C-alpha cells in the first residue's frame, strides 16, 4: 500500500508540473505575440531582402520581443497574484480552479525573476552589440564574425561590471564574509547585482511616476473631447479652413528650388490639418461624450491619485509605529490562506487598479522627461537601436514596479522568489525616505499642475503676461521663413 501511495504521489506531482509548465508556456506565448505586434507597429520598415543586416535585425527583433514579453509578465504578475489569492479564498473547494495554487504563483515569480536577469544582463546587451558589430579586422565578414565580436564584447562588459561591483562592495561593506560571498556567482552575485538594478529602477520610478501622475490629466485631455464652454467651433473651423487654403496656395506657388521653404510649409500645413481634424471631431461628438465622459475621467484620475498619496501617507505612519510594515518584514500567511487587503475583494480590486495606474503613469512620465524624450517611439519609424533602448527601459521599470508597490504600501503582498531578496528593502531609512519623497514630489507636481491655469490668469489680469522672461523659446516660435527665403518675425 505504501508503494502504491508513493506512486500515486509521484503521478500527481508529475501531472501538476506538466500542468504548471503548460500554463506558463501559454501565458508567455500570448504575451510574446502581443509584444511582437507592438514592436512591428513601431519598427522602421526595411527592405525585404535576405542579406546579412536583415538577419541581424530579425534576431535583434525577436530578442527585443522576448524582453518586452518578460516586462509585460513582470507587470501583470503582481495583479495576477493578488486576484488569484482572493479567488482561492472565495472558492477554496472549486474543482475548476485547483490549478490556481501557490506552487504556480511561486513558479511564475521565479521565472519572471530569472528571465528578467537573463534579458537585462545577456539578451539585450547581446542584441545591441550584435546590431552594432561588423566583425574583427582580418577575419572573414559574416554572421560568425559578428557573433564572435559580440561574445568578446559581452565578456569584457561582464568583467567590467564584476570589477565595479567588487569595488562598490569594498567601499560600502569592507568585510571578508561579504567579499567571499561574491565568489558565489549564482546565489549571491546575480541577486546582489539585480538588487542594485532594482534600486536604480525604483529611483527612476520615483522620478517618473509623480511627473506622470500630473501629466496624465494632459494626456487624457488630448485623447478625450473637452466640453465646449463659451466656444464657437464653427467659427474656429472656418478660420482654420481659410488658413489651410492660404498655406496650400503658398505651397503651390513656390518653385521647387526653395526646398527648405517647401518643407517648412508642408509641416505647417500638416499641423493645420491635424488641428482641423481635432476641431471637427469635437463638433461631431455627442453631448454625453463632451459633457459627461471628460469630467468623469478627470474626476476619476484625481480620485486615484489622491488615494495613492493617501495610502503612501498611511504607510509612512505604519513604518513609524510598526516594524512589520517594512517590505522585508515577516512573511505572509501564503497564497489562499488569508486576504491581502483589509477590505477583502474590493480592496484587492482597488490595489490592482492603482498598480496599473502607477505603471501607466510611470511610462507617461518617463517619456515626458526631457532626458528621455528622444526615446519616444514613432509608428513605422523607430530604429532597432531605439527599440532595444525602449525595451531595456520598460524592463527596468516593470521589474521595479512590484518592489515600489510593496515599498509604498500600495499592496501588502509579500514578494516571492528573488524579488524579495533585495538587501536595501530592510533598511528603514531608505524605505522611509522613499515614501516621504514620493508623497512630497507627487503633491508638489499636482499642486503645480492645478495652479498653473490660475497663475496664468493672474498674470493676464495683472498684465505680467506681456513680460517675456525667456526670449529663446519665444523667438523660435515667432521667427518663420518667408516665401522669398528671408526671415521675418511675427
Amino acid at each position: 500500500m505504501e508503494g502504491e501511495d508513493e506512486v500515486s504521489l509521484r503521478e500527481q506531482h508529475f501531472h501538476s508540473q506538466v500542468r504548471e509548465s503548460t500554463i506558463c508556456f501559454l501565458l508567455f506565448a500570448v504575451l510574446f505575440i502581443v509584444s511582437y505586434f507592438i514592436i512591428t507597429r513601431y519598427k522602421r520598415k526595411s527592405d525585404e531582402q535576405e542579406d546579412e543586416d536583415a538577419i541581424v535585425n530579425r534576431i535583434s527583433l525577436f530578442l527585443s520581443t522576448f524582453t518586452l514579453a518578460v516586462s509585460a509578465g513582470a507587470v501583470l504578475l503582481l495583479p495576477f497574484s493578488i486576484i488569484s489569492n482572493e479567488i482561492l479564498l472565495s472558492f477554496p473547494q472549486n474543482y475548476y480552479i485547483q490549478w490556481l495554487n501557490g506552487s504556480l504563483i511561486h513558479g511564475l515569480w521565479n521565472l519572471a525573476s530569472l528571465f528578467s536577469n537573463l534579458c537585462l544582463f545577456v539578451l539585450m546587451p547581446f542584441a545591441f552589440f550584435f546590431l552594432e558589430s561588423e566583425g574583427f579586422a582580418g577575419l572573414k565578414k559574416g554572421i560568425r564574425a559578428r557573433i564572435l565580436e559580440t561574445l568578446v564584447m559581452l565578456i569584457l562588459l561582464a568583467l567590467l561590471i564584476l570589477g565595479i561591483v567588487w569595488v562598490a562592495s569594498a567601499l560600502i561593506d569592507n568585510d571578508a564574509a561579504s567579499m567571499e560571498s561574491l565568489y558565489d556567482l549564482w546565489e549571491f552575485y546575480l541577486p546582489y547585482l539585480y538588487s542594485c538594478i532594482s534600486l536604480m529602477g525604483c529611483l527612476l520610478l520615483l522620478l517618473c511616476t509623480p511627473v506622470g501622475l500630473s501629466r496624465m490629466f494632459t494626456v487624457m485631455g488630448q485623447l478625450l473631447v473637452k466640453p465646449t464652454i463659451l466656444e464657437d467651433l464653427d467659427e474656429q473651423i472656418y478660420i482654420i479652413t481659410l488658413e489651410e487654403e492660404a498655406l496650400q496656395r503658398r505651397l503651390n506657388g513656390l518653385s521647387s528650388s526653395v526646398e527648405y521653404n517647401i518643407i517648412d510649409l508642408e509641416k505647417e500645413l500638416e499641423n493645420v490639418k491635424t488641428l482641423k481634424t481635432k476641431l471637427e471631431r469635437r463638433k461631431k461628438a455627442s453631448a454625453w461624450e463632451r459633457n459627461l465622459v471628460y469630467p468623469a475621467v478627470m474626476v476619476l484620475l484625481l480620485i486615484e491619485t489622491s488615494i495613492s498619496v493617501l495610502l503612501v501617507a498611511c504607510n509612512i505612519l505604519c513604518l513609524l509605529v510598526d516594524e512589520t510594515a517594512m517590505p522585508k518584514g515577516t512573511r505572509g500567511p501564503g497564497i489562499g490562506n488569508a486576504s491581502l487587503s483589509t477590505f477583502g475583494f474590493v480592496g484587492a480590486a482597488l490595489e490592482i487598479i492603482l498598480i496599473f495606474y502607477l505603471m501607466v503613469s510611470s511610462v507617461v512620465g518617463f517619456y515626458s522627461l526631457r532626458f528621455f524624450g528622444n526615446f519616444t517611439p514613432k509608428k513605422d519609424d523607430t530604429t532597432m537601436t531605439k527599440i532595444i533602448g525602449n525595451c531595456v527601459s520598460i524592463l527596468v521599470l516593470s521589474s521595479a514596479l512590484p518592489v515600489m508597490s510593496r515599498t509604498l504600501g500600495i499592496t501588502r503582498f509579500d514578494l516571492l522568489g528573488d524579488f524579495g531578496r533585495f538587501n536595501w528593502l530592510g533598511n528603514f531609512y531608505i524605505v522611509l525616505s522613499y515614501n516621504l519623497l514620493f508623497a512630497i514630489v507627487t503633491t508638489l507636481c499636482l499642486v503645480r499642475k492645478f495652479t498653473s491655469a490660475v497663475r496664468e490668469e493672474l498674470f493676464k489680469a495683472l498684465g505680467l503676461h506681456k513680460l517675456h522672461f525667456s526670449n529663446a523659446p519665444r523667438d523660435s516660435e515667432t521667427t518663420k521663413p518667408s516665401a522669398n527665403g528671408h526671415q521675418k518675425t511675427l
Side-chain angles (χ1 to χ4, degrees), residues 199 203 206 311-323 325-328 403-404 406-409 424-441:
L199 177 60
L203 294 178
L206 182 62
L311 288 177
V312 174
C314 294
N315 188 55
I316 293 174
L317 295 178
C318 292
L319 288 172
L320 295 175
V321 299
D322 189 5
E323 294 182 356
M326 291 289 294
K328 203 173 182 180
V403 184
M404 186 191 75
R406 180 67 181 93
T407 305
L408 295 178
W424 59 272
L425 290 177
N427 193 313
F428 172 77
Y429 298 102
I430 292 179
V431 174
L432 181 62
S433 302
Y434 192 88
N435 282 264
L436 287 172
L437 285 175
F438 183 87
I440 294 173
V441 175

Side-chain angles (χ1 to χ4, degrees), residues 174-231:
N174 191 9
D175 188 7
S178 63
M179 297 297 292
E180 290 179 359
S181 60
L182 284 175
Y183 290 107
D184 195 347
L185 184 65
W186 185 260
E187 292 294 331
F188 180 82
Y189 177 71
L190 286 179
Y192 177 76
L193 185 60
Y194 190 65
S195 176
C196 298
I197 299 296
S198 177
L199 177 60
M200 290 190 294
C202 288
L203 294 178
L204 183 60
L205 282 175
L206 182 62
L207 181 64
C208 298
T209 307
V211 177
L213 289 175
S214 61
R215 178 70 177 167
M216 283 292 291
F217 294 91
T218 304
V219 173
M220 296 306 297
Q222 294 173 354
L223 296 177
L224 300 175
V225 178
K226 297 181 180 180
T228 55
I229 302 175
L230 301 178
E231 284 185 294

Side-chain angles (χ1 to χ4, degrees), residues 3 25 39 70 76 139 165 168 173 184 207 254 261 270-271 302 325 329 339 361 363 390 419 464:
F25 175 78
I39 291 182
V70 172
L76 298 174
L139 295 178
V165 173
D173 190 8
D184 195 347
L207 181 64
L254 288 178
N261 284 331
E270 188 68 26
N271 294 332
L302 183 60
S339 179
S361 301
V363 174
N390 278 275
F419 279 88
L464 298 178

Side-chain angles (χ1 to χ4, degrees), residues 338-355:
S339 179
L340 302 173
S341 175
T342 307
F343 301 100
F345 192 85
V346 177
L350 179 61
E351 290 179 1
I352 293 174
I353 294 174
L354 291 178
I355 289 170

Side-chain angles (χ1 to χ4, degrees), residues 424-489:
W424 59 272
L425 290 177
N427 193 313
F428 172 77
Y429 298 102
I430 292 179
V431 174
L432 181 62
S433 302
Y434 192 88
N435 282 264
L436 287 172
L437 285 175
F438 183 87
I440 294 173
V441 175
T442 303
T443 304
L444 290 178
C445 288
L446 290 176
V447 169
R448 182 176 180 272
K449 174 68 178 178
F450 286 105
T451 58
S452 60
V454 179
R455 188 169 60 249
E456 290 176 0
E457 294 298 327
L458 288 176
F459 283 169
K460 289 181 181 180
L462 297 175
L464 298 178
H465 66 288
K466 299 179 181 180
L467 301 177
H468 306 305
F469 298 100
S470 177
N471 292 326
R474 183 75 179 177
D475 295 341
S476 63
E477 293 177 0
T478 57
T479 303
K480 297 182 178 180
S482 62
N484 58 5
H486 299 289
Q487 301 290 330
K488 64 179 181 179
T489 303

